[in-house]
Coordinates of all heavy atoms in Angstrom, one line a residue:
M24 N 0.8 -1.2 0.0 CA 0.0 0.0 0.0 C 0.9 1.2 0.0 O 1.9 1.3 0.6 CB -0.9 0.0 1.2 CG -1.7 1.3 1.3 SD -2.9 1.2 2.6 CE -4.4 1.1 1.7
Y25 N 0.5 2.2 -0.7 CA 1.2 3.5 -0.8 C 0.3 4.6 -0.2 O -1.0 4.5 -0.3 CB 1.5 3.9 -2.3 CG 2.3 2.8 -3.0 CD1 1.7 1.9 -3.8 CD2 3.7 2.8 -2.8 CE1 2.5 0.9 -4.4 CE2 4.5 1.9 -3.4 CZ 3.9 0.9 -4.2 OH 4.7 0.0 -4.9
I26 N 0.9 5.6 0.4 CA 0.1 6.7 1.0 C 0.6 7.9 0.3 O 1.8 8.2 0.2 CB 0.4 6.8 2.5 CG1 -0.2 5.5 3.2 CG2 -0.2 8.0 3.1 CD1 0.1 5.5 4.7
A27 N -0.4 8.8 -0.1 CA 0.0 10.0 -0.8 C -0.7 11.2 0.0 O -1.9 11.2 0.2 CB -0.6 10.0 -2.2
M28 N 0.2 12.1 0.4 CA -0.3 13.3 1.1 C -0.8 14.3 0.0 O -0.1 14.4 -1.0 CB 0.8 13.9 1.9 CG 1.2 13.1 3.1 SD 2.6 13.6 4.1 CE 2.8 15.3 3.8
L29 N -1.9 14.9 0.2 CA -2.5 15.8 -0.8 C -2.5 17.2 -0.4 O -2.6 17.6 0.8 CB -3.9 15.4 -1.1 CG -4.1 13.9 -1.6 CD1 -5.6 13.6 -1.8 CD2 -3.3 13.6 -2.9
K30 N -2.3 18.1 -1.4 CA -2.5 19.6 -1.2 C -4.0 19.8 -1.0 O -4.8 19.0 -1.3 CB -2.0 20.3 -2.4 CG -0.5 20.2 -2.7 CD -0.2 20.9 -4.0 CE 1.2 20.6 -4.5 NZ 1.4 21.2 -5.8
P31 N -4.3 21.0 -0.5 CA -5.8 21.4 -0.4 C -6.5 21.1 -1.7 O -6.0 21.5 -2.8 CB -5.8 22.9 0.0 CG -4.4 23.1 0.7 CD -3.5 22.1 0.0
N32 N -7.7 20.5 -1.6 CA -8.4 20.1 -2.8 C -9.9 20.2 -2.5 O -10.3 20.3 -1.4 CB -8.0 18.7 -3.2 CG -8.3 17.7 -2.2 OD1 -9.4 17.3 -1.9 ND2 -7.2 17.2 -1.5
P33 N -10.7 20.2 -3.6 CA -12.2 20.4 -3.4 C -12.8 19.2 -2.6 O -13.9 19.3 -2.1 CB -12.7 20.5 -4.8 CG -11.7 20.1 -5.7 CD -10.4 20.2 -5.0
Y34 N -12.1 18.1 -2.5 CA -12.7 16.9 -1.9 C -12.3 16.9 -0.4 O -12.8 16.0 0.4 CB -12.2 15.6 -2.5 CG -12.4 15.7 -4.0 CD1 -11.3 15.9 -4.9 CD2 -13.6 15.5 -4.6 CE1 -11.5 16.0 -6.2 CE2 -13.8 15.5 -5.9 CZ -12.8 15.8 -6.8 OH -12.9 15.8 -8.1
Q35 N -11.5 17.8 0.1 CA -11.1 17.9 1.5 C -10.4 16.7 2.0 O -10.4 16.3 3.2 CB -12.3 18.2 2.4 CG -13.1 19.5 2.1 CD -12.3 20.7 2.2 OE1 -11.6 20.9 3.1 NE2 -12.4 21.6 1.2
L36 N -9.7 16.0 1.1 CA -8.9 14.9 1.4 C -7.4 15.3 1.7 O -6.9 16.2 1.0 CB -8.8 13.9 0.2 CG -10.1 13.3 -0.2 CD1 -10.0 12.5 -1.5 CD2 -10.7 12.4 0.9
T37 N -6.9 14.8 2.8 CA -5.5 15.2 3.1 C -4.5 14.0 2.8 O -3.4 14.3 2.5 CB -5.3 15.5 4.6 OG1 -5.8 14.5 5.4 CG2 -6.1 16.8 4.9
V38 N -5.0 12.8 2.9 CA -4.2 11.6 2.6 C -5.0 10.6 1.9 O -6.2 10.4 2.1 CB -3.7 11.0 3.9 CG1 -2.9 9.7 3.6 CG2 -2.8 12.0 4.7
V39 N -4.4 9.9 0.9 CA -5.1 8.8 0.1 C -4.2 7.6 0.1 O -3.0 7.7 -0.1 CB -5.4 9.3 -1.3 CG1 -6.0 8.1 -2.1 CG2 -6.3 10.4 -1.3
G40 N -4.8 6.5 0.4 CA -4.0 5.2 0.3 C -4.3 4.5 -1.0 O -5.4 4.5 -1.5
L41 N -3.2 4.0 -1.6 CA -3.3 3.3 -2.9 C -2.8 1.9 -2.8 O -1.8 1.7 -2.1 CB -2.5 4.1 -4.0 CG -2.9 5.6 -4.2 CD1 -1.9 6.3 -5.0 CD2 -4.3 5.6 -4.9
N42 N -3.3 1.0 -3.6 CA -2.8 -0.4 -3.6 C -1.5 -0.4 -4.5 O -0.7 -1.3 -4.2 CB -3.8 -1.3 -4.3 CG -5.0 -1.5 -3.4 OD1 -4.9 -1.5 -2.2 ND2 -6.2 -1.7 -3.9
G43 N -1.4 0.4 -5.5 CA -0.3 0.3 -6.4 C -0.6 -0.5 -7.6 O 0.1 -0.6 -8.6
Y44 N -1.8 -1.1 -7.6 CA -2.3 -1.9 -8.7 C -3.8 -1.9 -8.7 O -4.4 -1.8 -7.6 CB -1.8 -3.3 -8.7 CG -2.3 -4.1 -7.5 CD1 -3.5 -4.9 -7.6 CD2 -1.6 -4.0 -6.3 CE1 -3.9 -5.6 -6.5 CE2 -2.1 -4.7 -5.2 CZ -3.2 -5.5 -5.3 OH -3.7 -6.2 -4.2
N45 N -4.5 -1.9 -9.8 CA -5.9 -2.0 -9.8 C -6.6 -0.8 -9.1 O -7.7 -1.0 -8.5 CB -6.4 -3.3 -9.3 CG -7.7 -3.8 -9.9 OD1 -8.0 -3.3 -11.0 ND2 -8.3 -4.8 -9.3
D46 N -6.0 0.4 -9.0 CA -6.6 1.5 -8.3 C -7.6 2.2 -9.3 O -7.3 2.2 -10.5 CB -5.6 2.5 -7.9 CG -4.7 2.0 -6.8 OD1 -5.2 1.5 -5.8 OD2 -3.5 2.1 -6.9
A47 N -8.7 2.7 -8.8 CA -9.6 3.4 -9.7 C -9.0 4.6 -10.4 O -8.2 5.4 -9.8 CB -10.8 3.9 -8.8
P48 N -9.3 4.7 -11.7 CA -8.7 5.9 -12.5 C -9.0 7.2 -11.9 O -8.2 8.1 -11.9 CB -9.3 5.7 -13.9 CG -9.8 4.3 -13.9 CD -10.1 3.9 -12.5
E49 N -10.2 7.3 -11.3 CA -10.6 8.6 -10.7 C -9.7 9.0 -9.5 O -9.4 10.1 -9.3 CB -12.1 8.5 -10.2 CG -13.1 8.3 -11.3 CD -13.3 6.9 -11.7 OE1 -12.7 6.0 -11.1 OE2 -14.0 6.6 -12.7
I50 N -9.4 8.0 -8.7 CA -8.5 8.2 -7.5 C -7.1 8.6 -8.0 O -6.5 9.5 -7.5 CB -8.4 6.9 -6.6 CG1 -9.8 6.6 -6.1 CG2 -7.4 7.1 -5.5 CD1 -10.4 7.7 -5.2
L51 N -6.6 7.9 -9.0 CA -5.3 8.2 -9.6 C -5.2 9.6 -10.1 O -4.2 10.3 -10.0 CB -4.9 7.2 -10.6 CG -4.7 5.7 -10.2 CD1 -4.4 4.8 -11.3 CD2 -3.5 5.7 -9.2
E52 N -6.3 10.0 -10.7 CA -6.4 11.4 -11.3 C -6.3 12.4 -10.2 O -5.6 13.4 -10.3 CB -7.7 11.6 -12.1 CG -7.8 12.9 -12.7 CD -9.1 13.0 -13.5 OE1 -9.7 12.0 -13.9 OE2 -9.5 14.2 -13.7
I53 N -7.0 12.2 -9.1 CA -7.0 13.1 -7.9 C -5.6 13.1 -7.3 O -5.1 14.2 -7.0 CB -8.0 12.6 -6.9 CG1 -9.5 12.8 -7.4 CG2 -7.8 13.4 -5.5 CD1 -10.5 12.2 -6.5
V54 N -5.0 12.0 -7.2 CA -3.6 11.9 -6.6 C -2.7 12.6 -7.5 O -1.9 13.5 -7.0 CB -3.2 10.5 -6.3 CG1 -1.7 10.4 -6.0 CG2 -4.1 9.8 -5.3
N55 N -2.7 12.4 -8.8 CA -1.8 13.0 -9.7 C -1.9 14.6 -9.7 O -1.0 15.3 -9.9 CB -1.9 12.5 -11.1 CG -1.3 11.1 -11.2 OD1 -0.3 10.8 -10.6 ND2 -1.8 10.3 -12.1
K56 N -3.2 15.0 -9.6 CA -3.5 16.4 -9.6 C -3.1 17.1 -8.3 O -2.6 18.3 -8.3 CB -4.9 16.7 -9.9 CG -5.3 18.1 -10.2 CD -6.7 18.2 -10.7 CE -7.1 19.6 -11.0 NZ -8.4 19.8 -11.5
Y57 N -3.3 16.5 -7.2 CA -3.2 17.2 -5.9 C -2.1 16.6 -5.0 O -2.0 17.1 -3.8 CB -4.5 17.1 -5.1 CG -5.6 17.8 -5.8 CD1 -6.7 17.1 -6.4 CD2 -5.7 19.2 -5.9 CE1 -7.7 17.8 -7.1 CE2 -6.7 19.9 -6.5 CZ -7.7 19.2 -7.1 OH -8.7 19.8 -7.8
I58 N -1.2 15.7 -5.4 CA -0.2 15.2 -4.6 C 0.7 16.3 -4.1 O 1.1 17.2 -4.9 CB 0.6 14.1 -5.3 CG1 1.4 13.3 -4.3 CG2 1.4 14.6 -6.5 CD1 2.0 12.0 -4.8
D59 N 1.2 16.2 -2.9 CA 2.0 17.2 -2.3 C 3.5 16.7 -2.3 O 3.9 16.1 -1.3 CB 1.6 17.6 -0.9 CG 2.4 18.7 -0.2 OD1 3.3 19.3 -0.9 OD2 2.2 19.0 0.9
R60 N 4.1 16.8 -3.4 CA 5.5 16.3 -3.6 C 6.5 16.9 -2.6 O 7.3 16.2 -2.1 CB 5.9 16.4 -5.0 CG 5.2 15.5 -6.0 CD 5.7 15.6 -7.4 NE 5.1 14.6 -8.3 CZ 3.9 14.7 -8.9 NH1 3.2 15.8 -8.7 NH2 3.5 13.8 -9.6
E61 N 6.4 18.2 -2.5 CA 7.3 18.9 -1.5 C 7.1 18.4 -0.1 O 8.0 18.2 0.7 CB 7.2 20.4 -1.7 CG 8.4 21.0 -2.3 CD 8.3 22.5 -2.4 OE1 8.3 23.1 -1.3 OE2 8.2 23.0 -3.5
G62 N 5.8 18.3 0.3 CA 5.5 17.8 1.6 C 6.0 16.4 1.8 O 6.5 16.1 2.9
L63 N 5.9 15.6 0.8 CA 6.4 14.2 1.0 C 7.9 14.2 1.1 O 8.4 13.5 2.0 CB 6.0 13.4 -0.2 CG 4.5 12.9 -0.3 CD1 4.2 12.3 -1.7 CD2 4.3 11.9 0.8
F64 N 8.6 15.0 0.3 CA 10.0 15.1 0.5 C 10.4 15.5 1.9 O 11.3 14.9 2.5 CB 10.6 16.1 -0.6 CG 12.1 16.3 -0.4 CD1 13.0 15.3 -1.0 CD2 12.6 17.3 0.3 CE1 14.3 15.5 -0.8 CE2 14.0 17.5 0.4 CZ 14.8 16.6 -0.1
D65 N 9.8 16.6 2.4 CA 10.1 17.1 3.7 C 9.8 16.1 4.8 O 10.6 15.9 5.7 CB 9.3 18.4 4.0 CG 9.9 19.6 3.2 OD1 11.0 19.5 2.7 OD2 9.2 20.6 3.1
S66 N 8.7 15.5 4.7 CA 8.3 14.6 5.8 C 9.0 13.2 5.8 O 9.1 12.6 6.8 CB 6.8 14.3 5.8 OG 6.4 13.5 4.7
I67 N 9.4 12.8 4.6 CA 10.0 11.4 4.6 C 11.5 11.5 4.4 O 12.3 11.2 5.2 CB 9.4 10.6 3.4 CG1 7.9 10.4 3.8 CG2 10.1 9.3 3.3 CD1 7.1 9.7 2.7
I68 N 11.9 12.0 3.2 CA 13.4 12.0 2.9 C 14.2 13.0 3.7 O 15.2 12.6 4.3 CB 13.6 12.3 1.4 CG1 12.9 11.2 0.6 CG2 15.0 12.3 1.0 CD1 12.8 11.4 -0.9
R69 N 13.7 14.2 3.8 CA 14.5 15.2 4.6 C 14.7 14.8 6.0 O 15.8 14.9 6.6 CB 13.9 16.6 4.5 CG 14.7 17.6 5.3 CD 14.1 19.0 5.1 NE 14.4 19.4 3.8 CZ 14.1 20.6 3.3 NH1 13.5 21.5 4.0 NH2 14.4 20.9 2.1
N70 N 13.6 14.3 6.7 CA 13.7 13.9 8.1 C 14.7 12.8 8.3 O 15.5 12.7 9.2 CB 12.4 13.5 8.6 CG 11.5 14.7 8.8 OD1 11.9 15.8 9.0 ND2 10.2 14.4 8.9
K71 N 14.7 11.8 7.4 CA 15.6 10.7 7.5 C 17.1 11.2 7.2 O 18.0 10.7 8.0 CB 15.3 9.6 6.4 CG 14.0 8.9 6.8 CD 13.8 7.7 6.0 CE 12.5 7.0 6.2 NZ 12.2 6.5 7.5
L72 N 17.3 12.0 6.3 CA 18.6 12.6 6.0 C 19.1 13.4 7.2 O 20.3 13.3 7.6 CB 18.6 13.4 4.8 CG 18.5 12.7 3.4 CD1 18.4 13.7 2.3 CD2 19.8 11.8 3.2
E73 N 18.2 14.2 7.8 CA 18.6 15.0 8.9 C 19.0 14.1 10.1 O 20.0 14.4 10.8 CB 17.5 16.0 9.3 CG 17.4 17.2 8.4 CD 16.1 18.0 8.7 OE1 15.3 17.6 9.5 OE2 16.1 19.1 8.1
N74 N 18.3 13.1 10.4 CA 18.6 12.2 11.5 C 19.9 11.5 11.2 O 20.8 11.4 12.1 CB 17.5 11.1 11.6 CG 16.2 11.7 12.2 OD1 16.2 12.8 12.8 ND2 15.1 11.1 12.0
L75 N 20.2 11.0 10.0 CA 21.4 10.4 9.7 C 22.6 11.4 9.9 O 23.6 11.0 10.5 CB 21.4 9.9 8.2 CG 22.7 9.3 7.7 CD1 23.1 8.0 8.4 CD2 22.7 9.1 6.2
Y76 N 22.5 12.6 9.3 CA 23.5 13.5 9.4 C 23.8 13.9 10.9 O 24.9 14.1 11.3 CB 23.2 14.8 8.6 CG 23.7 14.6 7.1 CD1 23.2 13.6 6.3 CD2 24.6 15.5 6.6 CE1 23.6 13.5 5.0 CE2 25.0 15.4 5.3 CZ 24.5 14.3 4.5 OH 24.9 14.2 3.2
Q77 N 22.7 14.1 11.6 CA 22.9 14.4 13.1 C 23.6 13.3 13.8 O 24.5 13.6 14.6 CB 21.5 14.6 13.7 CG 21.5 15.1 15.1 CD 20.1 15.3 15.7 OE1 19.1 14.8 15.1 NE2 20.0 16.2 16.7
D78 N 23.3 12.0 13.5 CA 24.0 10.9 14.2 C 25.5 10.9 13.8 O 26.3 10.5 14.6 CB 23.4 9.6 13.7 CG 22.0 9.4 14.3 OD1 21.6 10.1 15.3 OD2 21.3 8.5 13.8
L79 N 25.8 11.4 12.6 CA 27.2 11.4 12.2 C 27.9 12.7 12.6 O 29.1 12.8 12.5 CB 27.3 11.3 10.6 CG 26.8 10.0 10.0 CD1 26.7 10.1 8.5 CD2 27.7 8.9 10.5
G80 N 27.2 13.6 13.2 CA 27.7 14.9 13.7 C 28.0 15.9 12.6 O 28.8 16.8 12.7
W81 N 27.3 15.7 11.5 CA 27.4 16.6 10.3 C 26.2 17.5 10.2 O 25.2 17.3 10.9 CB 27.4 15.8 9.0 CG 28.6 14.8 8.9 CD1 29.7 14.7 9.7 CD2 28.7 13.8 7.9 NE1 30.5 13.7 9.3 CE2 29.9 13.1 8.2 CE3 27.9 13.3 6.9 CZ2 30.3 12.0 7.4 CZ3 28.4 12.3 6.1 CH2 29.6 11.7 6.4
S82 N 26.2 18.5 9.4 CA 25.1 19.4 9.2 C 24.6 19.1 7.7 O 25.4 19.0 6.8 CB 25.4 20.8 9.4 OG 26.4 21.3 8.5
L83 N 23.3 19.1 7.5 CA 22.7 18.8 6.2 C 22.6 20.1 5.4 O 22.0 21.0 5.9 CB 21.4 18.1 6.4 CG 20.6 17.8 5.1 CD1 21.4 16.8 4.3 CD2 19.2 17.2 5.5
Q84 N 23.2 20.1 4.3 CA 23.2 21.3 3.4 C 22.5 20.8 2.1 O 23.2 20.2 1.2 CB 24.6 21.8 3.1 CG 25.3 22.2 4.3 CD 24.7 23.4 5.0 OE1 24.2 24.3 4.3 NE2 24.8 23.4 6.3
L85 N 21.2 21.0 1.9 CA 20.5 20.6 0.7 C 20.7 21.6 -0.4 O 20.8 22.8 -0.2 CB 19.0 20.4 1.0 CG 18.6 19.2 1.9 CD1 17.1 19.2 2.1 CD2 19.0 17.9 1.2
N86 N 20.7 21.1 -1.6 CA 20.8 21.9 -2.8 C 19.5 22.8 -2.8 O 18.4 22.3 -2.7 CB 20.8 21.0 -4.0 CG 21.0 21.8 -5.3 OD1 20.5 22.9 -5.5 ND2 21.8 21.3 -6.2
E87 N 19.7 24.1 -3.1 CA 18.5 25.0 -3.1 C 17.5 24.7 -4.2 O 16.4 25.2 -4.2 CB 19.0 26.4 -3.1 CG 19.7 26.8 -4.4 CD 20.4 28.1 -4.4 OE1 21.1 28.4 -3.4 OE2 20.2 28.9 -5.4
H88 N 18.0 23.9 -5.2 CA 17.1 23.6 -6.3 C 16.4 22.2 -6.2 O 15.9 21.7 -7.2 CB 17.9 23.6 -7.6 CG 18.6 24.9 -7.8 ND1 17.9 26.1 -8.1 CD2 19.9 25.3 -7.8 CE1 18.8 27.1 -8.3 NE2 20.0 26.6 -8.0
V89 N 16.4 21.7 -5.0 CA 15.9 20.3 -4.8 C 14.4 20.3 -5.2 O 13.9 19.3 -5.6 CB 16.1 19.9 -3.3 CG1 15.2 20.6 -2.3 CG2 15.9 18.4 -3.2
S90 N 13.7 21.4 -5.0 CA 12.2 21.4 -5.3 C 12.0 21.2 -6.8 O 11.0 20.7 -7.2 CB 11.5 22.6 -4.8 OG 12.1 23.8 -5.4
K91 N 13.0 21.6 -7.6 CA 12.8 21.4 -9.1 C 12.8 20.0 -9.5 O 12.3 19.6 -10.5 CB 14.0 22.2 -9.8 CG 13.8 23.7 -9.7 CD 14.9 24.4 -10.5 CE 14.8 25.9 -10.4 NZ 15.9 26.5 -11.1
F92 N 13.5 19.1 -8.6 CA 13.5 17.7 -8.9 C 12.1 17.1 -9.0 O 11.9 16.2 -9.8 CB 14.3 17.0 -7.8 CG 14.4 15.5 -8.0 CD1 15.2 14.9 -8.9 CD2 13.6 14.7 -7.2 CE1 15.3 13.6 -9.0 CE2 13.6 13.3 -7.3 CZ 14.5 12.8 -8.3
F93 N 11.2 17.7 -8.2 CA 9.8 17.1 -8.2 C 8.8 17.8 -9.2 O 7.7 17.5 -9.1 CB 9.3 17.2 -6.8 CG 10.0 16.3 -5.8 CD1 11.0 16.8 -5.0 CD2 9.8 15.0 -5.8 CE1 11.7 16.0 -4.1 CE2 10.5 14.1 -5.0 CZ 11.4 14.7 -4.1
N94 N 9.3 18.7 -10.0 CA 8.5 19.3 -11.0 C 8.4 18.5 -12.3 O 8.9 18.9 -13.3 CB 9.0 20.8 -11.3 CG 8.8 21.7 -10.1 OD1 7.9 21.4 -9.3 ND2 9.6 22.7 -10.0
F95 N 7.7 17.4 -12.2 CA 7.6 16.6 -13.4 C 6.1 16.3 -13.7 O 5.3 16.5 -12.9 CB 8.4 15.3 -13.3 CG 8.1 14.5 -12.1 CD1 7.1 13.6 -12.0 CD2 8.9 14.7 -11.0 CE1 6.9 12.8 -10.9 CE2 8.7 13.9 -9.9 CZ 7.7 13.0 -9.8

C-alpha cells in the first residue's frame, strides 16, 4: 500500500491510500493532480537525512534547487 499526502483540494482529502495496482482511475487522477510532492520530500526524505547527518555529527546542506527535482 502506498500513501499520498495531498495539497488542499475540493474533496477535503489530506491523505489517500493506494494499492499500487488496480486503483480506480478517478483516484489516480485526484492523486496526480493534488499530490504534495514537496511535503512528501520534507516529511520522509529530509527527516531521514537530517537524522542520519545528526547521528554522524554533520550538518545537512540541501541543494537549493531540490524542489525542481519534483516538478515533473
Side-chain angles (χ1 to χ4, degrees):
M24 176 174 251
Y25 301 97
I26 296 175
M28 295 173 22
L29 302 177
K30 296 178 192 174
N32 59 73
Y34 308 104
Q35 302 299 314
L36 297 171
T37 55
V38 177
V39 174
L41 302 164
N42 290 327
Y44 64 92
N45 212 18
D46 293 312
E49 298 84 4
I50 299 297
L51 293 174
E52 183 180 336
I53 291 169
V54 170
N55 285 327
K56 187 172 184 179
Y57 296 108
I58 192 166
D59 186 4
R60 289 180 171 88
E61 252 183 65
L63 284 169
F64 176 82
D65 285 343
S66 70
I67 297 172
I68 298 173
R69 180 175 289 182
N70 287 340
K71 290 191 184 301
L72 287 174
E73 285 175 347
N74 290 338
L75 173 67
Y76 274 60
Q77 185 178 22
D78 290 346
L79 295 171
W81 300 348
S82 64
L83 179 62
Q84 302 294 325
L85 290 177
N86 185 324
E87 62 189 52
H88 303 291
V89 71
S90 63
K91 291 182 180 177
F92 178 77
F93 293 102
N94 290 336
F95 52 87

